[in-house]
Amino acid sequence: MTVRKIALTGIKSSGSPHIGNYLGAIKPALELTKDHEARYFIADHHALTTVRDKKLMKEQIYDLAATWLAAGLNPDEVIFYRQSDIPEVFELTWILSCLTPKGLLNRAHSYKDSVDKNAERGKDADEGINCGLYYYPILMAADILAFNTNVVPVGQDQKQHIEITRDIAQAFNLAYGDTLTIPEALIREEVKTIPGNDGRKMSKSYNNVIPLYAPRKTLQKSISQIVTDSKGVDEPKDPDNCNLFTIYSHFATPKEVEDKREKYLAGGLGYGDLKKELFELIDSIVTDGREQYDAYMANRERIDWILEEGAEKARSIAGPLLQKVRHAVGVQ
Ligand code: TRP
């Protein structure tokens, strides 16, 4: 029997998932479940570093859970839970923080970026920065290390966090003997290349996202807003510098993409027509998911129940691991 590797990733609950998330994170993570033991969770305490609205916080947790379930996450195969349901993670966060050099956190990108921004604006270095943001990498390390994780599928922007996790785990093992599994990052390169409807990277913070399971009309409107140049139908167009074409390529088959590339170069295909086609294409891909998403959102008890079951399974792994950790450090 071959032992399947353990894959774990956290999904931060800030903002409704869009097609960039779907292609860059959700779809590859679901593919990984075929040959990995998968543990996926909603990182609500990470979201707490920025979200200040209680209603929104609750809503986004349901939104994320419904989205992943609708996209095909099978809770019988994947342990799917909420970070806040696992007290072991928070206990481990503290223990790990006692082994983490403060300088390591000073160098973490998100903290450093905030400090640099303050400097640019002539403010005090730490103004407006909460300790949660500073501790973010340790909480993330605990998320990962509490579950004997081997691989962590993440976007490029999270690479440093996995390196910090490895550093912390190695420091722990050096101090107390082999206890924690050293994880590896599995970086999804594509995440970077999906442009939003204005051509910049698709991101909530740029307000340029194409929503995933929004109503048909909303999807259509968003696609109609994809920015192109003003070339007329008959003019030849440049497929390599056109975000409409790039987005289309992420959804269409290689043959369709090749066909459209030729039509772009030759002229005769209007942007409006390709938008229509792209809309129908994305709509056909999301129709089933949208229906399921709506059904989950209308039955939140079912979501609660799934996440509670997941939390129970997750705690049956994190519990014994924490017991080992407590013994290793000598608090028990
Ligand atoms: N920080 C990650 C992000 O913003 C989310 C996250 C939290 C995570 N804990 C994790 C990812 C553990 C992987 C493993 O995307």
Side-chain angles (χ1 to χ4, degrees), residues 8-10 12 41 43 46 136 140 143-144 152 154 158:
L8 173 141
T9 200
K12 199 156 97 178
F41 68 95
H46 276 110
Y136 193 110
M140 188 157 156
D143 287 332
I144 296 168
V152 188
V154 281
Q158 297 297 312

Side-chain angles (χ1 to χ4, degrees), residues 9-55:
T9 200
I11 314 143
K12 199 156 97 178
S13 46
S14 46
S16 192
H18 50 72
I19 63 162
N21 297 136
Y22 177 73
L23 292 172
I26 302 178
K27 203 166 158 232
L30 292 178
E31 265 158 29
L32 208 63
T33 66
K34 289 184 197 143
D35 51 4
H36 286 73
E37 271 189 45
R39 292 152 192 187
Y40 297 161
F41 68 95
I42 298 173
D44 48 2
H45 276 230
H46 276 110
L48 216 44
T49 60
T50 52
V51 181
R52 285 290 171 275
D53 179 330
K54 159 183 168 182
K55 264 203 190 136

Side-chain angles (χ1 to χ4, degrees), residues 15-241:
S16 192
H18 50 72
I19 63 162
N21 297 136
Y22 177 73
L23 292 172
I26 302 178
K27 203 166 158 232
L30 292 178
E31 265 158 29
L32 208 63
T33 66
K34 289 184 197 143
D35 51 4
H36 286 73
E37 271 189 45
R39 292 152 192 187
Y40 297 161
F41 68 95
I42 298 173
D44 48 2
H45 276 230
H46 276 110
L48 216 44
T49 60
T50 52
V51 181
R52 285 290 171 275
D53 179 330
K54 159 183 168 182
K55 264 203 190 136
L56 187 69
M57 176 63 101
K58 267 212 151 90
E59 194 59 21
Q60 284 176 341
I61 292 171
Y62 283 116
D63 187 5
L64 262 196
T67 300
W68 280 69
L69 290 164
L73 184 148
N74 177 352
D76 292 330
E77 281 169 10
V78 177
I79 304 182
F80 187 46
Y81 57 97
R82 230 179 340 219
Q83 181 186 39
S84 53
D85 281 336
I86 319 296
E88 287 82 359
V89 164
F90 305 102
E91 185 182 344
L92 186 57
T93 301
W94 177 257
I95 297 175
L96 296 178
S97 76
C98 297
L99 283 131
T100 308
K102 184 164 172 284
L104 192 62
L105 298 189
N106 290 342
R107 289 190 294 276
H109 293 319
S110 57
Y111 172 68
K112 248 181 98 228
D113 288 351
S114 305
V115 170
D116 290 349
K117 254 188 216 141
N118 276 342
E120 273 166 34
R121 293 175 191 156
K123 295 182 181 171
D124 283 348
D126 284 330
E127 197 175 318
I129 300 175
N130 65 59
C131 291
L133 177 81
Y134 190 66
Y135 258 53
Y136 193 110
I138 309 186
L139 178 56
M140 188 157 156
D143 287 332
I144 296 168
L145 300 174
F147 291 95
N148 307 308
T149 306
N150 301 116
V151 291
V152 188
V154 281
Q156 181 71 29
D157 63 330
Q158 297 297 312
K159 194 171 164 210
Q160 190 199 30
H161 285 148
I162 312 301
E163 279 158 13
I164 293 176
T165 301
R166 289 168 59 89
D167 286 349
I168 297 175
Q170 273 152 358
F172 187 100
N173 287 350
L174 197 64
Y176 296 115
D178 251 350
T179 313
L180 302 172
T181 305
I182 312 291
E184 265 170 50
L186 193 67
I187 305 291
R188 298 279 168 191
E189 293 295 336
E190 315 92 288
V191 176
K192 288 185 300 188
T193 59
I194 300 161
N197 52 21
D198 61 355
R200 294 188 290 175
K201 179 186 164 171
M202 190 177 292
S203 161
K204 281 155 222 157
S205 43
Y206 294 151
N207 210 4
N208 65 354
V209 305
I210 298 175
L212 180 57
Y213 294 140
R216 246 176 90 87
K217 276 243 151 60
T218 314
L219 175 65
Q220 189 165 28
K221 183 158 171 245
S222 174
I223 289 174
S224 73
Q225 285 166 346
I226 295 176
V227 176
T228 59
D229 57 32
S230 53
K231 291 204 176 81
V233 175
D234 294 330
E235 286 179 72
K237 302 175 181 65
D238 180 1
D240 297 318
N241 286 299

